[in-house]
Amino acid sequence: MIAIIGGGVCGLSIGWRLAQAGRAVTVLERGRAGAGASWAAAGMLAPQVEAEPSEEPLLALTQESRGLWADFAAEVEAASGISVGYRREGTLVVALDRDDVENLRHRYDYQTSLGLDLEWITGAEARRREPHLARGVGAAVFSALDHQVDNRLLCDALREAYLRAGGVLREHTAVLEILHGGGRVAGLRLADETLEAHTVIVAAGPWSRDIPGLPEALMPPVRPLKGQMLALQMARGAPLIDHVVWGPDIYLVPRGDGRLLIGATVEEMGFDEHITAGGMMELLRDAWAVLPGIYDLPVVETWVGFRPASRDDAPILGPTAMAGLIMATGHHRNGILLAPITARCVADCVLSGETPAAIRAFSLDRFIRREARSAWLPRP
């Protein structure tokens, strides 16, 4: 039996692929499936505009996953009967003043040097495409290939697709310990039982490091990175924007139901769940500078999420030095974007016993010293 710890988008996607392949798989979720980092996200599929220096290997992975998204969305919808709100309008990144324009040009030059398909446009052209943008917008970059999905609908759809494929889902079930012996996993200890499993996949997001039973050397270096967000309600049928819009320190994501998501703060605050006045003030101030028309819109929701950030901001994927123990965590801001390739590659690790080339650079081994890796192994 295969046990997956964590019922977010990645855990459910992996479970779905394994269930489709006819494997016995159980997803265990400490709360409600899809209610953690996956629920709190914004659903942007934007590897191009988010590309940063020194992240070229990650860019290759995110671009490959982005290329899978249209078919993945259609397959999930067909398997579940639930729309995932996949939208293709593209993404605009806008600059508000001279310094912003210079910074945006520098970023654009770097991104296009990598061969990314981006378009530099004037402020006037940006306002033609989105008439409600601030008059002060001086320039913008348009990415036609950076799309979005409604992550909350996606969670619902993946849950249904997984169950229809024959997967077992155990919600509100805490894993008390990962059991192992002789250098391989043996199962999981739960509150009232022991669950035998020949494969355990850790997909618990920012909680992945805290699962008892992992040898210290195999604890993934993942921490929670707090993000506060809010949603405003636009008039149905008359949204202020249609594209995803990025401004300095802010992004705005329109949803099909008229909601406008605004995010997100980046805070090293552990698992602090408080909504703060300062966080809301910064989000609203920066959003208003880009889109003044939000001033009279009602606030309909505020929330906090915890990005699962690794030490190098890249995911931790694939087998570990313990036989049967596989990682699928540390996705940081890219969990939704990387779901299709994570599911495909991690499922391949289980089904074929081989690690796909796409994820070999993202194994846990990159963080582990050789001597620490062997310290827990049984002696011959």
Side-chain angles (χ1 to χ4, degrees):
M1 200 272 288
I2 303 162
I4 301 174
I5 306 174
V9 162
C10 287
L12 289 172
S13 297
I14 296 165
W16 178 43
R17 290 304 190 205
L18 291 170
Q20 285 179 312
R23 298 301 178 92
V25 55
T26 297
V27 170
L28 301 107
E29 168 55 46
R30 60 197 295 273
R32 179 171 59 84
S38 299
W39 179 88
M44 294 176 294
L45 311 174
Q48 298 205 136
V49 301
E50 292 198 63
E52 296 181 355
S54 80
E55 292 188 353
E56 288 81 6
L58 178 58
L59 175 62
L61 187 70
T62 56
Q63 283 190 290
E64 185 172 352
S65 194
R66 190 271 314 276
L68 301 174
W69 248 103
D71 289 342
F72 182 76
E75 187 181 357
V76 173
E77 289 180 340
S80 66
I82 299 172
S83 169
V84 300
Y86 182 67
R87 295 177 57 172
R88 307 168 186 255
E89 290 91 345
T91 297
L92 279 168
V93 185
V94 302
L96 297 176
D97 58 28
R98 183 177 298 177
D99 288 343
D100 291 339
V101 171
E102 290 181 2
N103 289 335
L104 184 60
R105 172 62 77 171
H106 178 75
R107 191 178 184 95
Y108 169 80
D109 288 343
Y110 162 73
Q111 291 167 341
T112 53
S113 75
L114 301 175
L116 300 181
D117 184 11
L118 301 169
E119 179 185 2
W120 182 270
I121 61 177
T122 65
E125 173 60 19
R127 288 189 298 275
R128 187 190 69 78
R129 300 186 188 195
E130 290 290 4
H132 294 287
L133 289 175
R135 293 183 180 181
V137 169
V141 168
F142 176 62
S143 175
L145 297 177
D146 285 341
H147 301 157
Q148 66 150 304
V149 66
D150 188 320
N151 46 290
R152 296 183 183 179
L153 294 177
L154 175 65
C155 290
D156 292 340
L158 281 170
R159 183 184 189 279
E160 182 66 19
Y162 169 69
L163 292 173
R164 289 186 182 185
V168 175
L169 176 61
R170 299 183 61 171
E171 297 176 296
H172 306 289
T173 303
V175 173
L176 302 185
E177 186 180 5
I178 294 177
L179 303 175
H180 57 88
R184 69 162 301 112
V185 297
L188 303 174
R189 183 169 66 85
L190 310 179
D192 300 316
E193 65 178 299
T194 296
L195 190 67
E196 294 184 1
H198 60 77
T199 301
V200 171
I201 300 170
V202 176
W207 294 273
S208 295
R209 184 175 177 83
D210 300 328
I211 303 169
L214 285 173
E216 184 176 356
L218 299 185
M219 291 180 179
V222 177
R223 70 191 191 281
L225 197 56
K226 177 183 177 181
Q228 299 183 54
M229 292 182 65
L230 61 92
L232 308 178
Q233 185 64 53
M234 301 181 290
R236 291 181 180 272
L240 291 179
I241 54 173
D242 292 308
H243 300 81
V244 174
V245 175
W246 287 69
D249 303 315
I250 198 73
Y251 56 75
L252 302 98
V253 183
R255 289 288 197 239
D257 61 1
R259 297 197 331 150
L260 179 65
L261 277 55
I262 299 176
T265 65
V266 180
E267 306 171 59
E268 295 280 4
M269 294 291 290
F271 287 107
D272 173 40
E273 297 181 347
H274 290 97
I275 298 288
T276 65
M280 293 297 103
M281 179 187 70
E282 289 179 2
L283 292 175
L284 288 168
R285 178 194 62 204
D286 293 342
W288 176 81
V290 171
L291 194 66
I294 69 169
Y295 189 88
D296 292 318
L297 298 183
V299 177
V300 293
E301 186 182 2
T302 61
W303 66 96
V304 168
F306 301 105
R307 308 169 185 88
S310 71
R311 288 209 298 265
D312 60 4
D313 292 339
I316 303 171
L317 303 170
T320 69
M322 180 185 290
L325 180 66
I326 297 174
M327 293 289 162
T329 187
H331 290 78
H332 195 203
R333 64 183 186 272
N334 292 310
I336 306 298
L337 170 60
L338 289 174
I341 200 163
T342 296
R344 187 185 74 184
C345 290
V346 173
D348 282 351
C349 289
V350 177
L351 298 173
S352 72
E354 302 292 330
T355 303
I359 63 169
R360 286 175 191 161
F362 302 99
S363 75
L364 179 64
D365 278 0
R366 71 188 191 270
F367 298 114
I368 302 174
R369 300 193 314 274
R370 185 181 303 275
E371 60 272 20
R373 184 164 58 245
S374 61
W376 61 272
L377 289 170
R379 297 187 181 280

